[in-house]
Structure formats: structure tokens, C-alpha cells
Amino acid sequence: MTIKISRRLQCIADLVPQGSKVADIGSDHALLPAYLVKEGIVTFSIAGEVNKGPYEAALRQVKGTLIEDKVSVRLGDGLAVIKPGEVDCITIAGMGGSLIASILNADKAKLEGVNTLILQPNVGEEFVRRWLSENGWLLQEEHILEEDGKIYEILLASKVDSDTFMKEEQHLYQDQPLGTLTLDRSWLMQLGPYLVRQPDEVLIKKWSNEIRKQERILSTMAATNSNEVKEKREHFEAYKRALEEIVACWQKDKRSLNGWKN
């Protein structure tokens, strides 16, 4: 049986440590856990799902295969589907960043023995980065890709000792000058400390889309002149200007690099 997965799930699968035991939270059809076992990447996987429909779909996905004894499909909310020490890698993909952070925060005891987190928020990536930082998980890699008209960021984090965490975290989120701006910790949490080092077309497209979103927000405020709306408008305008400069700098650097290569 060949299991086909999307580019997004393939990127996640490529980050899973060889020989690990993984729990995929919000697994939907259990495609990722089944693929990981089928390809010999992991020795055991858990497919966790909170909703009965997807849970039953996951059961059907696994039932009758040669990997049935290595993929455990479980119905439960968040990390409730695993026991402490049962897995050493957790993947959570396809939901909002604030929800991912709340899932991890709600049951920290279940993270005992876990060394690797692979997280793919659909929105609100900064909530995930902030949770990792506040809970001693070192962000090791960031990937961004576009598939079927949607842009995804995938974050890989590891549990390290406190001294290593403090040293690496400080370096990771140190201020980075860009044009007339300084990308401080707050900006890097939002944009991605690794992604901004080598901005590609997908990252530029993502934040160009955000600029257009800010323009739409500002257009809805144009007809109102109350002091409260005026203050909000000034905030959105300042944010949009900053994003425009960031994107312009990325585009300029990319053109310079391409010109140098040619």
C-alpha cells in the first residue's frame, strides 16, 4: 500500500527523527502517522483526533493494513491521547497558532520524554514561537512553502538544557537591522528568526498579502473620524509602512543576490 501525502505533510515527515515514536495531534485521516510507519521513519505512532468523524476516518485509513499494530488511533482532546513518556516526538499541524500553544500548555506533563516538536500553524505563528520561548523549547528550523494557494510555516523545536537554551535563544532573537528598521524580538517572533535571514519568494508573497490586508482594514476606517478610530488607524498605518519597508528590503536584497549570481 502506497500512502500519498501533500508537500506540507512531506515537509513535516522529513523533520521527524529517524527511529522515533511520534504522536500526531489532530491527525484527521491518520495520513502522517501511517506514512511515517510505512516508510520506516518511526517505530510507532499515535493518531489523535478530538472529533468522532475524523477519528473514524483515521481508523479506516489504518484498518486492514500491515502497519495496524504500529499505528494507534485514539479519540481525545489534545495531548490527552498520550501517556507521559510514551512518545519522543509530537506533531501538530493544520490549526491556529494560539490553539496549538493552548494544546501544549494545557497538559505539559504529557511532554515528559518528548525531545522534538514539529508544529505547523495555519495562522498566528508568533503564538507558537512565543510559547516555545517561554517554555524552554529551542526553535531549530523554520520552513515556509506554498501549496494549493495556501502558505504554510513549519517549525521544528527541540528540548535542550537550560544553559544551551539561554545562549542559543539570545542569539536567535537578537536585533537585526533592516533598512531604517530594527527587527527586534517582537518582529522576529512574528516574521520568523530563520526565515528573515534568507527570505524567499514565498515569504515575500505572504507579507505582501498582509500589506494588502492592512490596506483593506484602513479603507474601512476611512469614513470614521472618531478619536478612537483615528488612533487605531495610525497604528495600522505605521504597521503597514513598516511591512512595506521590510518587503522592499527583501526584494532589493533578492534582486542584488540574483544579479550577483548571474
Side-chain angles (χ1 to χ4, degrees):
M1 178 187 69
T2 300
I3 299 174
K4 294 183 178 180
I5 59 175
S6 64
R7 285 181 57 229
R8 174 180 68 93
L9 290 183
Q10 185 65 62
C11 184
I12 294 171
D14 291 343
L15 296 174
V16 174
Q18 185 71 36
S20 60
K21 296 178 180 178
V22 66
D24 185 38
I25 306 302
S27 193
D28 199 4
H29 287 65
L31 279 174
L32 181 61
Y35 175 85
L36 291 169
V37 168
K38 184 71 175 177
E39 295 298 314
I41 297 170
V42 305
T43 59
F44 172 74
S45 65
I46 296 169
E49 181 53 58
V50 68
N51 297 311
K52 192 171 182 180
Y55 164 74
E56 291 174 346
L59 284 175
R60 290 193 296 271
Q61 171 76 25
V62 175
K63 188 177 181 180
T65 67
L66 297 176
I67 59 172
E68 200 169 353
D69 61 331
K70 296 182 180 179
V71 182
S72 177
V73 181
R74 302 177 186 179
L75 182 64
D77 190 6
L79 302 184
V81 298
I82 62 175
K83 302 172 185 176
E86 192 173 20
V87 297
D88 48 37
C89 177
I90 290 175
T91 61
I92 311 178
M95 58 188 78
S98 59
L99 179 55
I100 290 176
S102 68
I103 287 172
L104 293 169
N105 211 49
D107 209 349
K108 292 181 183 178
K110 298 294 182 68
L111 298 175
E112 178 185 332
V114 176
N115 303 313
T116 305
L117 295 176
I118 305 169
L119 310 170
Q120 182 267 298
N122 285 344
V123 294
E125 295 85 1
E126 66 270 23
F127 292 106
V128 177
R129 293 188 183 98
R130 192 170 296 116
W131 186 91
L132 293 172
S133 177
E134 291 172 354
N135 289 275
W137 287 84
L138 183 62
L139 185 61
Q140 300 277 18
E141 294 182 32
E142 295 177 316
H143 301 267
I144 187 167
L145 61 91
E146 183 176 13
E147 185 174 31
D148 298 330
K150 296 181 180 179
I151 294 174
Y152 303 102
E153 293 184 21
I154 298 168
L155 314 180
L156 169 69
S158 299
K159 195 67 177 175
V160 296
D161 65 80
S162 58
D163 289 342
T164 300
F165 174 80
M166 293 296 292
K167 179 181 178 181
E168 296 296 328
E169 171 92 351
Q170 185 177 13
H171 174 71
L172 186 61
Y173 288 107
Q174 68 182 4
D175 290 356
Q176 296 188 35
L178 185 69
T180 64
L181 300 172
T182 296
L183 300 184
D184 60 11
R185 183 180 181 85
S186 178
W187 272 113
L188 294 173
M189 284 281 180
Q190 185 177 170
L191 301 172
Y194 290 104
L195 296 178
V196 301
R197 294 176 186 177
Q198 292 183 310
D200 63 9
E201 294 291 351
V202 181
L203 185 68
I204 291 172
K205 182 175 182 178
K206 173 176 180 170
W207 291 103
S208 295
N209 290 342
E210 180 63 25
I211 291 170
R212 287 190 285 273
K213 177 183 175 182
Q214 296 301 311
E215 289 171 346
R216 290 193 295 271
I217 293 172
L218 286 166
S219 69
T220 64
M221 296 180 173
T224 307
N225 291 314
S226 69
N227 289 334
E228 183 181 355
V229 172
K230 183 180 179 182
E231 289 179 7
K232 288 183 178 179
R233 188 165 59 234
E234 290 173 351
H235 170 77
F236 281 110
E237 286 173 344
Y239 179 59
K240 183 173 80 75
R241 285 194 301 271
L243 283 181
E244 287 171 336
E245 181 170 358
I246 289 168
V247 169
C249 287
W250 286 344
Q251 291 171 327
K252 181 180 178 182
D253 291 345
K254 193 167 182 61
R255 286 194 298 269
S256 298
L257 181 60
N258 290 337
W260 178 79
K261 285 182 177 179
N262 294 332

